[in-house]
Amino acid sequence: MLLEGKIAIITGAASERGIGRATARTFAEHGARVVILDLDEAASAAAAASLGTEHLGLAANVANEAQVKNAVAKVLEQYGRIDILINNAGITQPLKTLDIQRQDYDKVLDVSLRGTLLMSQAVIPAMRQQKSGSIVCLSSVSAQRGGGIFGGPHYSAAKAGVLGLAKAMARELGPDNVRVNSITPGLIQTDITGGLMHDERRHAIIEGIPLGRLGEAKDVANAALFLASDLSGYLTGTTLDVNGGMLIH
């Protein structure tokens, strides 16, 4: 098992059909003890319980510094270490440039970008102390291609910011043997995207994907497993595309 004995925090992982939950299941199957962090405490606890008794579910808004610090303190109190952080929490809004209001901008940027920073800041001291750790940041193909799917320009900006933040942290934390990498999923079938696509749009999108299908949450979870494990021990500051060829550089 690739993550035997590892402690992994995954944000935004309570949703049954989301990328975070698929990643939690995959990590648990590979021996990790998983901490699911989401807004709703009951949902987080239920999601963790579905993985087994050794896992933990906690409530926290990743954009709230006090809540983030409190949750990470609870993880350290229970497990004594943190080996992996998956910055998965994020929200999207299908708005055009001139329709984006201040509250829309703040909502999307706070969760995706500020949340990634605050969660990383909270776990870095423990990872530095143990001289090991892997942080994986979920960005999006929208950051690379300039939107054009569901999220508005502020979503693309937030996810592009995640890429820059991850690269900068990778450069800074390398001497501490803390690796930071990013994943840029393409169009993945989740609860968020499921209700946004009509059949004709679905077929049009699939025609532009060389592998001929939409992605599944498990596809992203497997990429996260690779980046979290020692298989990627000499990788930091990288961006791993999981898009079926939708965007080929």
Side-chain angles (χ1 to χ4, degrees):
M1 291 189 287
L2 292 173
L3 302 180
E4 184 69 39
K6 302 289 188 182
I7 307 301
I9 299 176
I10 306 175
T11 67
S15 176
E16 176 63 33
R17 293 184 63 244
I19 290 171
R21 180 72 80 90
T23 302
R25 284 192 292 265
T26 299
F27 281 20
E29 290 167 1
H30 279 270
R33 281 171 286 180
V34 176
V35 180
I36 290 178
L37 204 62
D38 216 312
L39 290 171
D40 186 279
E41 185 170 9
S44 296
S50 73
L51 303 175
T53 57
E54 67 271 33
H55 308 287
L56 180 65
L58 297 173
N61 177 353
V62 296
N64 183 301
E65 185 174 2
Q67 291 183 25
V68 165
K69 287 182 176 180
N70 183 55
V72 169
K74 288 180 179 178
V75 176
L76 290 171
E77 181 181 357
Q78 176 150 338
Y79 297 112
R81 63 184 292 119
I82 297 170
D83 300 289
I84 301 160
L85 168 65
I86 308 297
N87 282 310
N88 169 72
I91 56 175
T92 185
Q93 294 175 330
L95 299 176
K96 301 295 185 183
T97 300
L98 295 181
D99 296 326
I100 300 169
Q101 302 297 312
R102 172 67 182 266
Q103 63 269 24
D104 302 319
Y105 177 91
D106 288 346
K107 188 174 183 179
V108 170
L109 270 289
D110 274 358
V111 176
S112 292
L113 188 51
R114 188 192 303 274
T116 295
L117 174 62
L118 292 179
M119 284 300 307
S120 300
Q121 286 177 323
V123 305
I124 285 169
M127 290 182 173
R128 272 182 162 159
Q129 185 174 15
Q130 65 203 28
K131 283 293 182 181
S132 67
S134 176
I135 298 174
V136 180
C137 302
L138 271 291
S139 179
S140 170
V141 69
S142 292
Q144 300 165 310
R145 69 193 298 269
I149 304 177
F150 292 131
H154 55 329
Y155 176 75
S156 295
K159 290 302 188 179
V162 167
L163 292 180
L165 175 62
K167 289 174 185 287
M169 290 195 298
R171 192 179 298 277
E172 180 181 340
L173 300 175
D176 299 300
N177 196 35
V178 176
R179 302 183 296 109
V180 187
N181 294 288
S182 299
I183 298 175
T184 46
L187 192 55
I188 308 299
Q189 298 184 84
T190 65
D191 289 333
I192 293 176
T193 61
L196 295 175
M197 279 196 301
H198 303 296
D199 283 343
E200 60 271 16
R201 187 171 187 189
R202 178 189 181 96
H203 292 314
I205 291 173
I206 290 175
E207 286 176 0
I209 300 175
L211 289 185
R213 68 174 176 87
L214 301 180
E216 300 177 0
K218 180 72 171 178
D219 295 320
V220 184
N222 288 338
L225 173 65
F226 169 65
L227 291 176
S229 75
D230 291 339
L231 290 177
S232 60
Y234 198 52
L235 272 66
T236 196
T238 66
T239 300
L240 184 57
D241 294 347
V242 184
N243 60 36
M246 173 188 282
L247 178 71
I248 297 176
H249 300 275

